[in-house]
């Protein structure tokens, strides 16, 4: 498909009518408060509106003291187990953790050694099952510069390769989900290689995945021309996948997964919808924004150790004077956590080790300084109802840059991890057979009569 979709036909008409569209779509902001609308499905104090129950994970950001909600250090539990304990556990026993977490999220308990090997063998088999024609016809033809679109298209096309695509039995959906867990890294990395070749003219290579490698190892192996990586690189990428694998049923992409699954549709449609949600810069795309923001900061701030200079840049960010002029410090703040994000807290310990290996201590020190200064700057410039701390996106961008991963793969890496959580939530929604999710919207337009064509005026011609 050519660029003719954006050929600019009647661009003057589109420009004028866009203003009309905006005017007709704008709703008086006072009406949201008048009708007690929970915008974003959140209360005014930021608490999410309860729309469902889940056993898959729990996010804790406050404790109850004398009937009052008191903010606390953030905690994240996978199937009731503290994520920090999970990470400490598999690191102490010297193994990769993502596959173990996939098992935990899907089946509700930690696997024993035999069960874990069975799962890893199943994933390895599914990685080998992708037809050569799929890579040639779907990934290599018309490659997109946006890899989230490549990933979504690949998922939707799998429907045509599946003889039981519409079967929503637990066994079949489990099969489909495990295949997606296995294939997401291939779709993402191969899509990147194809885009580089066709859009940038770089060399084209495809390394087949290795059975004996973990998901993290295979990503680095397939991505790098020489397939080489250090044990620390693979370990930290694995930790990143573990920390991104799941985050409750209320985040935008997982809730999308629940909404679409509740309609009774197939796995590929539900997961592609979740991918569309994750692509957004307010969700999974935030880690790219963090990385780009710091690149801009490093150009504008002469002395990375000067607190006043860094603070001045952060103030300029909030005042829409620099970078993308959005008024945001990307990577700071979270819809749920206030004092700390446990994923960022866990990640930070390993980021420093990787910075030392890569000789990027100055970059890490700058990130650490921004993490220290940003909450104070935001408190001075904004009226906020809760504390602000670094979230997982804040450090994941730095980690991916130190791993020399391209920006185009940052959000797909989030999806590679989160397919585990999406799969668990899809199964939970299907097993519990709830109603189709359908919240209410109140119509506030005024009623009017139909006007015959001969009596109508025009927007610009009255």
């Amino acid at each position: 498909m050519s660029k003719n979709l954006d050929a600019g036909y009647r661009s003057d008409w589109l420009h004028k009518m866009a203003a009309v569209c905006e005017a007709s779509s704008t709703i008086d902001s006072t009406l949201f408060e008048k009708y007690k609308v929970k915008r974003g499905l959140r209360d005014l104090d930021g608490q999410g509106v309860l729309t469902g129950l889940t056993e898959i994970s729990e996010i804790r950001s406050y404790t109850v003291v004398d009937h009052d909600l008191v903010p606390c250090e953030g905690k994240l539990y996978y199937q009731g187990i503290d994520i920090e304990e999970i990470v400490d556990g598999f690191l102490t026993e010297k193994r990769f953790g993502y596959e173990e977490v996939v098992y935990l999220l899907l089946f509700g308990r930690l696997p024993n050694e035999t069960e874990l090997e069975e799962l890893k063998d199943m994933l390895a088999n599914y990685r080998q099952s992708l037809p050569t024609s799929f890579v040639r016809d779907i990934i290599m033809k018309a490659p997109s510069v946006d890899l989230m679109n490549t990933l979504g298209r690949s998922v939707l096309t799998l429907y045509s390769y599946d003889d039981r695509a519409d079967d929503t039995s637990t066994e079949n959906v489990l099969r489909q989900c495990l295949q997606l867990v296995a294939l997401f890294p291939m779709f993402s990395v191969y899509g990147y290689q194809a885009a580089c070749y066709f859009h940038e003219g770089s060399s084209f290579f495809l390394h087949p995945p290795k059975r004996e490698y973990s998901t993290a190892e295979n990503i680095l192996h397939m991505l790098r021309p020489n397939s080489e990586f250090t044990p620390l690189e693979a370990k930290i990428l694995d930790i990143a996948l573990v920390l991104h694998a799941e985050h409750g049923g209320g985040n935008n992409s997982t809730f999308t997964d629940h909404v679409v699954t509740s309609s009774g549709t197939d796995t590929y449609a539900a997961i592609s919808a979740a991918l569309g949600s994750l692509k957004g810069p307010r969700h999974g795309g935030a880690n790219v924004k963090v990385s780009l923001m710091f690149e801009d900061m490093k150009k504008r701030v002469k002395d990375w150790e000067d607190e006043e200079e860094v603070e001045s840049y952060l103030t300029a960010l909030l005042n829409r004077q620099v970078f993308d002029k959005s008024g945001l410090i990307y990577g700071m703040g979270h819809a749920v956590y206030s004092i700390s994000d446990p994923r960022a807290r866990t990640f930070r310990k390993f980021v420093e080790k990787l910075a030392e290996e890569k000789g990027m201590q100055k970059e890490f020190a700058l990130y650490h300084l921004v993490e220290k200064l940003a909450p104070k700057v935001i408190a001075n410039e904004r009226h906020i109802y809760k504390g602000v701390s670094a979230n997982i996106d804040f450090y994941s961008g730095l980690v991916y840059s130190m791993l020399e991963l391209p920006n185009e793969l940052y959000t797909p890496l989030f999806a590679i991890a989160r397919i585990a959580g999406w799969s668990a939530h899809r199964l939970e929604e299907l097993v519990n057979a709830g109603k189709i999710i359908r919240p209410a919207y109140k119509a506030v337009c005024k009623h009017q009569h139909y006007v015959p064509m001969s009596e109508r005026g025009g927007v610009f011609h009255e």
Side-chain angles (χ1 to χ4, degrees):
M1 190 173 291
S2 72
K3 300 278 187 177
N4 287 339
L5 280 176
D6 189 25
Y9 297 129
R10 295 296 308 274
S11 59
D12 55 337
W13 184 86
L14 287 172
H15 179 71
K16 290 190 297 185
M17 297 312 294
V20 176
C21 185
E22 285 188 6
S24 67
S25 300
T26 301
I27 297 173
D28 182 352
S29 60
T30 62
L31 295 179
F32 290 95
E33 186 173 351
K34 175 181 178 181
Y35 293 113
K36 296 181 172 57
V37 176
K38 311 292 187 183
R39 301 197 73 179
L41 290 181
R42 308 198 72 77
D43 293 325
L44 290 177
D45 63 358
Q47 293 296 313
V49 175
L50 188 62
T51 60
L53 303 174
T54 183
E55 292 184 339
I56 297 167
S57 66
E58 176 190 357
I59 302 165
R60 184 174 297 173
S61 60
Y62 60 86
T63 57
V64 179
V65 179
D66 295 330
H67 306 291
D68 292 326
L69 301 182
V70 179
C72 66
E73 297 285 351
K75 303 293 286 186
L76 174 61
Y77 300 87
Y78 288 176
Q79 294 285 2
I81 306 174
D82 191 323
I83 187 63
E84 293 172 89
E85 287 186 29
I86 293 173
V87 172
D88 288 342
F90 65 74
L91 289 179
T92 299
E93 297 176 1
K94 296 183 174 16
R95 64 173 178 274
F96 291 100
Y98 179 67
E99 290 73 18
E100 186 172 338
V101 161
V102 170
Y103 191 102
L104 172 64
L105 293 174
L106 289 175
F107 305 117
R109 63 177 180 81
L110 292 168
N112 60 34
E113 188 172 346
T114 300
E115 291 166 338
L116 181 57
E117 288 305 313
E118 288 173 343
L119 174 66
K120 289 162 66 175
D121 187 60
M122 183 74 74
L123 295 177
N125 287 333
Y126 284 141
R127 290 190 190 105
Q128 306 297 324
S129 67
L130 188 66
T132 303
S133 61
F134 190 97
V135 178
R136 181 192 66 221
D137 297 339
I138 308 306
I139 295 178
M140 291 180 61
K141 289 185 178 179
S144 172
V145 293
D146 191 301
L147 298 182
M148 288 299 286
N149 286 346
T150 297
L151 193 50
R153 183 180 65 191
S154 298
V155 170
L156 283 173
T157 306
L158 279 179
Y159 180 97
S160 301
Y161 287 74
D162 189 344
D163 293 334
R164 293 188 291 154
D166 289 309
D167 179 354
T168 57
S169 66
T170 300
E171 180 180 347
N172 191 57
V173 171
L174 178 60
R175 170 188 64 83
Q176 292 170 329
C177 289
L178 288 173
Q179 286 180 317
L180 292 175
V181 170
L183 295 176
F184 263 36
M186 298 172 68
F187 291 159
S188 301
V189 176
Y190 288 175
Y192 172 72
Q193 308 292 17
C196 287
Y197 174 73
F198 285 101
H199 294 287
E200 299 177 13
S202 60
S203 297
F204 185 62
F205 59 89
L206 293 178
H207 298 315
K210 292 188 175 184
R211 290 189 64 90
E212 67 272 22
Y213 276 179
S214 67
T215 300
E217 290 174 306
N218 262 318
I219 291 170
L220 295 173
H221 152 68
M222 291 188 293
L223 180 63
R224 295 180 174 177
N226 60 9
S227 293
E228 294 179 357
F229 52 87
T230 69
L232 180 60
E233 287 179 318
K235 179 170 77 172
I236 291 182
L237 182 55
D238 177 69
I239 293 169
L241 296 177
V242 167
L243 295 176
H244 283 90
E246 164 61 6
H247 204 241
N251 68 80
N252 197 276
S253 58
T254 304
F255 186 61
T256 298
D257 181 19
H258 273 281
V259 170
V260 179
T261 294
S262 76
S263 74
T265 193
D266 65 275
T267 296
Y268 306 109
I271 298 302
S272 66
L275 281 166
S277 165
L278 189 71
K279 178 186 175 183
R282 294 181 179 181
H283 192 9
N287 51 23
V288 178
K289 284 289 192 178
V290 172
S291 183
L292 295 176
M293 178 186 74
F294 270 94
E295 288 303 313
D296 184 73
M297 188 186 310
K298 287 187 284 187
K299 293 175 184 175
R300 295 175 183 270
V301 175
K302 295 180 180 178
D303 184 355
W304 297 359
E305 298 178 357
D306 187 327
E307 291 195 11
E308 289 187 8
E309 193 176 0
V310 172
E311 187 171 322
S312 176
Y313 177 85
L314 296 177
T315 301
L317 275 175
L318 291 177
N319 290 323
R320 305 176 189 270
Q321 297 169 341
V322 293
F323 186 43
D324 63 358
K325 299 181 180 179
S326 66
L328 300 173
I329 300 178
Y330 291 100
M332 297 301 302
H334 191 273
V336 179
Y337 301 117
S338 55
I339 294 180
S340 67
D341 180 338
R343 303 166 299 170
R345 196 169 61 234
T346 301
F347 220 7
R348 187 189 302 114
K349 296 180 289 187
F350 303 99
V351 174
E352 189 168 5
K353 294 178 184 177
L354 185 59
E356 291 172 2
E357 181 177 282
K358 296 290 185 178
M360 296 178 66
Q361 293 94 328
K362 283 186 63 179
E363 282 81 359
F364 176 77
L366 177 60
Y367 272 73
H368 191 63
L369 181 58
V370 170
E371 182 182 16
K372 168 188 168 185
L373 296 176
K376 180 179 72 171
V377 174
I378 293 171
N380 290 339
E381 298 289 328
R382 295 278 192 274
H383 175 67
I384 53 176
Y385 59 81
K386 65 184 183 67
V388 175
S389 61
N391 59 47
I392 184 65
D393 294 316
F394 186 80
Y395 279 112
S396 64
L398 175 60
V399 166
Y400 297 157
S401 66
M402 288 194 291
L403 290 174
E404 300 173 16
L405 303 177
N407 282 358
E408 295 89 340
L409 275 174
Y410 285 15
T411 311
L413 280 167
F414 196 151
I416 289 169
R418 187 57 62 84
I419 181 59
W422 290 338
S423 298
H425 281 277
R426 172 163 170 76
L427 285 160
E428 190 175 63
E429 182 70 35
L430 289 171
V431 168
N432 287 283
K435 295 182 178 180
I436 185 171
I437 297 173
R438 191 189 184 284
Y441 268 66
K442 181 177 180 61
V444 292
C445 56
K446 294 180 180 178
H447 289 189
Q448 53 187 321
H449 293 291
Y450 179 84
V451 178
M453 179 69 75
S454 60
E455 298 177 19
R456 298 177 196 170
V459 178
F460 297 106
H461 307 290
E462 291 180 345

